[in-house]
Amino acid sequence: MRVLLVNTNIEKAPYPVPPLGLCMLANALADRHEVKIYDGVFDEGKGLEALVIQFLPDVIGFSIRNIDDVVQDRQIYYLDGILEKFITPVKRITKATIIVGGSGFSIFPTEIMEITGADFGIAGEAEAILPVLLDRIQSGSSTSDIPNLLTSFSKKVQKGSGFAFLKPAAANFSEIDKWIDFSPYLVKGVYSVQTKRGCSHGCIYCTYPQIEGRKFRTRSPGDIADEIEQAHKRLGYITFEFVDSTFNDPGGHAESICREIIRRNLKVRLRTMGMNPRHTSDELFDLMARAGFVQIDATPDSASPRMLENLNKGFTLDEIEKMARLIKKFNIPTMWFFLFGGPGEDEVTFRETTDFIDNFVNPADLVYMNAGLRIYPNTPLHKLALEELRFAAGDSLLQPSAYYYSKKISKQVLNDLIRSASLTRPHCIPALETAPSPQMITEALELRRLDGFEEPMFRTLIRIRAKWRAAGKI
Ligand code: B12
């Protein structure tokens, strides 16, 4: 069959992300079908109808990644745009079978089946399931035993009977640049790499275990290094970004990956999202520095012992402090993320976190301060919100107004605390202000040019903020 996979994500902040999952799916289908990917990030749907008319796909798969921006005071909602720019125009001109999937879809599968009117949906990873579904569509046979499938008839996630070849996969090679025009990402973007799937942590608000499963399934370090080495040869200067829920889990995996990169002397630029404070050590940071890490994210959410428990983070304040010392010692530029307003947050716990920032975080590093926890279905936070009668059992959480705030501190007071904390600390930024003004960016670019800085842009922006604040400009 001719299969068209469509990336409907047009968000370009904080930077455009390549459609990693779709490329993995394309690889899984390529030996049996003729596959194309339409990457909507930059074209935003404009060329899609023409492509459908020319390629005449039998099946079109839409990837739905983002539902909303998870910033309570901004509440960007992406689904209307996805319908308007991608799904509705395509449905007008073709009778192709429509399938939906993706991480956003996997959180709200039933609602999104309803809204999109798709024929099928797959919740969670789809490398094993999509080829089976396509076979069944082609042969016209029953799909009722396929796990994680939704159909236009039932719109419920099927338990299915599961068959041997649906063994859950660890991530695979994506060869992103084979499937899409990668050149825009070379200007402002990264090459995404997944080193494992799954997350066995139990943070009360989080969707990751639901999307990826609860068990870590790791790829071999050799396979990961092969992917990075080959992409580096093809693309040259690009930062590789690990997109795992937490990079250094399960303990020892990150160390093995770094060792393999060092052994091959790859000379690449690496960055990663979440680091788990529990599995950090001198050895890990030394290996990361030598492997080529130019930036990491530290996402403890809180530095209040009480809040760490309430959020069920699975690590302690001592462990966060240890990680912060290592970050300073190895001077790895870091973006810190804190999330205020969870169950039990009050002014004391807020101050515990700002005390930690003052005592342990390098002032050259960025600190994002976010307020309100997005409530997702089937999470412990959802259960708590139901118990506290904030929602009724049947209420949909799809609309981006479903947030949890501690009863012990009002939203207004929390926002005021964040604002005043950021006024005295140029490196602390409320989530709403994450996009710097064009003047600030211009001045930062000029400073980088004059001084030849190679530091991450966020560090230059902090310098400018500090200067502007001292001059009373902000
Ligand atoms: C890594 C990551 C980031 C990184 C991205 C770095 C990068 N280089 O890509 C950063 C930190 C930049 C980021 C930013 C944001 N993110 Co983010 N991110 C993730 C994360 C952890 C992994 C995404 C990923 O790459 N997965 C790996 C690939 C291989 O999987 P995949 O693409 O999902 O594809 C698989 C399946 O979904 C499925 N599939 C995919 N497409 C299709 C299509 C069809 C037809 C089918 C059948 C199946 C299918 O099969 C694929 C292969 O198995 C997810 C959470 C998660 N665990 O999924 C959140 C997540 C996607 N992010 C989310 C959000 C909200 C954002 C931001 C909007 C936050 C913000 N305000 O800045 C931005 C948007 C950025 C952008 N430009 O789009 C939310 C989306 C849910 C929601 N509320 O909307 C998620 C789900 C986290 C959450 N809160 O639950 N993110």
Side-chain angles (χ1 to χ4, degrees):
M1 289 195 287
R2 278 187 299 277
V3 181
L4 179 62
L5 300 175
V6 179
N7 176 22
T8 65
N9 176 18
I10 62 168
E11 182 54 82
K12 290 159 203 68
Y15 42 84
V17 298
L20 177 65
L22 273 191
C23 296
M24 291 175 174
L25 292 182
N27 282 331
L29 297 175
D31 60 341
R32 309 273 296 269
H33 302 281
E34 193 185 339
V35 185
K36 272 192 201 303
I37 293 187
Y38 170 78
D39 183 11
V41 173
F42 304 98
D43 189 51
E44 301 196 359
K46 291 184 207 77
L48 180 57
E49 284 177 71
L51 179 59
V52 170
I53 290 165
Q54 177 238 319
F55 184 51
L56 294 174
D58 302 293
V59 173
I60 305 180
F62 291 95
S63 176
I64 301 180
R65 180 196 197 274
N66 299 330
I67 306 300
D68 62 313
D69 65 343
V70 204
V71 178
Q72 213 274 344
D73 285 323
R74 196 164 46 203
Q75 292 186 15
I76 297 176
Y77 183 63
Y78 297 104
L79 267 187
D80 290 341
I82 292 173
L83 282 175
E84 188 192 313
K85 288 181 187 338
F86 298 93
I87 300 181
T88 308
V90 163
K91 280 173 78 176
R92 270 201 294 264
I93 59 165
T94 175
K95 293 260 175 295
T97 303
I98 305 289
I99 306 177
V100 282
S103 42
F105 173 78
S106 307
I107 305 173
F108 298 102
T110 300
E111 287 99 324
I112 297 180
M113 282 302 285
E114 188 72 53
I115 292 172
T116 56
D119 299 299
F120 296 100
I122 296 175
E125 68 188 34
E127 285 92 340
I129 294 174
L130 188 57
V132 178
L133 175 62
L134 294 193
D135 283 353
R136 301 289 179 85
I137 292 172
Q138 203 164 12
S139 62
S141 45
S142 164
T143 57
S144 63
D145 60 340
I146 302 183
N148 297 350
L149 187 74
L150 294 95
T151 65
S152 56
F153 307 107
S154 77
K155 299 190 181 68
K156 291 233 168 63
V157 183
Q158 285 181 183
K159 292 255 184 292
S161 57
F163 12 95
F165 52 94
L166 287 182
K167 192 161 108 338
N172 280 313
F173 258 62
S174 57
E175 297 171 293
I176 306 175
D177 51 303
K178 176 174 123 186
W179 291 106
I180 60 167
D181 172 13
F182 200 78
S183 51
Y185 297 97
L186 289 173
V187 181
K188 191 186 181 220
V190 290
Y191 192 98
S192 312
V193 178
Q194 200 181 27
T195 82
K196 65 173 163 294
R197 293 218 173 130
C199 185
S200 61
H201 299 292
C203 306
I204 60 165
Y205 56 83
C206 189
T207 56
Y208 294 6
Q210 203 172 312
I211 299 171
E212 298 187 12
R214 288 198 177 273
K215 261 173 79 185
F216 290 119
R217 288 166 283 141
T218 55
R219 269 172 90 181
S220 82
D223 193 41
I224 297 160
D226 280 348
E227 178 171 17
I228 293 175
E229 184 168 14
Q230 291 168 22
H232 184 53
K233 275 201 191 115
R234 295 194 302 269
L235 296 168
Y237 186 87
I238 178 88
T239 301
F240 291 90
E241 176 168 43
F242 296 112
V243 298
D244 305 1
S245 49
T246 45
F247 174 59
N248 55 332
D249 279 317
H253 184 52
E255 286 85 341
S256 308
I257 297 166
C258 291
R259 274 192 211 101
E260 187 59 23
I261 291 170
I262 296 165
R263 192 184 69 74
R264 296 185 190 202
N265 197 16
L266 292 188
K267 304 251 177 306
V268 284
R269 290 165 58 86
L270 305 170
R271 60 155 271 134
T272 186
M273 309 211 323
M275 294 286 295
N276 177 3
R278 174 145 294 175
H279 293 142
T280 53
S281 62
D282 254 284
E283 187 194 12
L284 173 64
F285 271 78
D286 177 53
L287 287 167
M288 287 175 69
R290 288 197 283 134
F293 275 85
V294 290
Q295 196 186 312
I296 62 171
D297 290 352
T299 50
D301 291 343
S302 177
S304 150
R306 181 152 41 102
M307 288 310 296
L308 291 173
E309 268 194 26
N310 292 355
L311 296 171
N312 197 27
K313 294 301 295 178
F315 47 77
T316 61
L317 178 58
D318 283 351
E319 288 165 329
I320 308 176
E321 289 176 358
K322 176 187 71 181
M323 177 169 78
R325 278 192 218 98
L326 290 167
I327 287 172
K328 270 193 185 163
K329 176 172 169 191
F330 288 90
N331 192 22
I332 297 191
T334 301
M335 292 210 263
W336 289 83
F337 292 82
F338 292 101
L339 189 50
F340 299 98
E345 186 93 76
D346 58 19
E347 297 201 23
V348 174
T349 59
F350 184 88
R351 215 170 32 251
E352 284 171 337
T353 297
T354 50
D355 284 351
F356 165 83
I357 294 170
D358 293 339
N359 295 327
F360 288 91
V361 173
N362 180 349
D365 282 343
L366 195 64
V367 177
Y368 280 119
M369 304 176 90
N370 207 344
L373 276 62
R374 177 73 162 94
I375 306 175
Y376 291 113
N378 309 316
T379 56
L381 188 65
H382 183 203
K383 195 165 164 256
L384 184 67
L386 291 175
E387 279 161 18
E388 292 178 357
L389 303 178
R390 295 169 184 239
F391 293 91
D395 289 353
S396 169
L397 302 170
L398 182 68
Q399 290 299 324
S401 48
Y403 277 83
Y404 185 99
Y405 278 89
S406 164
K407 285 181 182 162
K408 294 185 170 174
I409 191 166
S410 73
K411 183 182 162 193
Q412 185 58 47
V413 172
L414 192 59
N415 280 343
D416 288 348
L417 284 173
I418 290 178
R419 169 132 298 278
S420 62
S422 76
L423 284 176
T424 49
R425 300 168 180 87
H427 63 309
C428 291
I429 299 188
L432 247 191
E433 293 170 22
T434 46
S437 68
Q439 297 95 303
M440 198 178 267
I441 291 181
T442 310
E443 194 169 327
L445 288 173
E446 184 60 7
L447 186 65
R448 289 167 78 86
R449 194 180 61 78
L450 290 175
D451 289 8
F453 285 148
E454 291 213 0
E455 65 188 11
M457 185 63 168
F458 74 76
R459 282 202 162 171
T460 316
L461 287 167
I462 292 172
R463 291 171 197 273
I464 310 271
R465 278 174 73 87
K467 204 171 101 191
W468 283 20
R469 180 119 332 134
K473 273 173 85 175
I474 45 171

